[in-house]
Amino acid sequence: MILTIVAPGGTLCNTTTDRVSFPGTVGRFTVLRGHAPLIAGLGYGEIVYAGEAGEVRLPIKNGCVRVYEDRIEACVEPADESVTNKEEVKP
């Protein structure tokens, strides 16, 4: 799957992953390969995904995510304002 996470300051992540977990506004959920299409609101918490160097945790305040055909695109407000380009890996 291709995971892209953007914020007002730029791209935080553009990588491939086998799983990603989000802090949804009504509870935590995990997206795996072949997930049904969805659009969801995100609340305060951490986006957790399997990166090339292991598990990556990205704290956020809020945002939204779209899942479609093994592409995951999230637009978030980072919880830590100092977060910039966390991982710039091209799929």
Side-chain angles (χ1 to χ4, degrees):
M1 297 183 301
I2 300 171
L3 172 65
T4 304
I5 303 173
V6 297
T11 301
L12 302 180
C13 166
N14 188 25
T15 190
T16 59
T17 187
D18 291 330
R19 66 174 168 77
V20 59
S21 182
F22 292 98
T25 55
V26 294
R28 189 152 200 86
F29 63 94
T30 300
V31 176
L32 301 172
R33 188 170 306 282
H35 196 287
L38 88 99
I39 295 175
L42 302 176
Y44 185 83
E46 290 182 324
I47 296 174
V48 181
Y49 64 94
E52 290 185 7
E55 188 174 86
V56 178
R57 295 177 171 272
L58 177 63
I60 66 166
K61 290 181 183 175
N62 56 45
C64 61
V65 62
R66 179 180 85 144
V67 177
Y68 186 73
E69 295 182 352
D70 286 338
R71 292 188 66 85
I72 305 163
E73 301 164 338
C75 181
V76 303
E77 181 178 357
D80 181 356
E81 297 301 325
S82 67
V83 172
T84 56
N85 288 345
K86 188 136 176 91
E87 183 179 21
E88 195 65 36
V89 179
K90 300 297 179 200

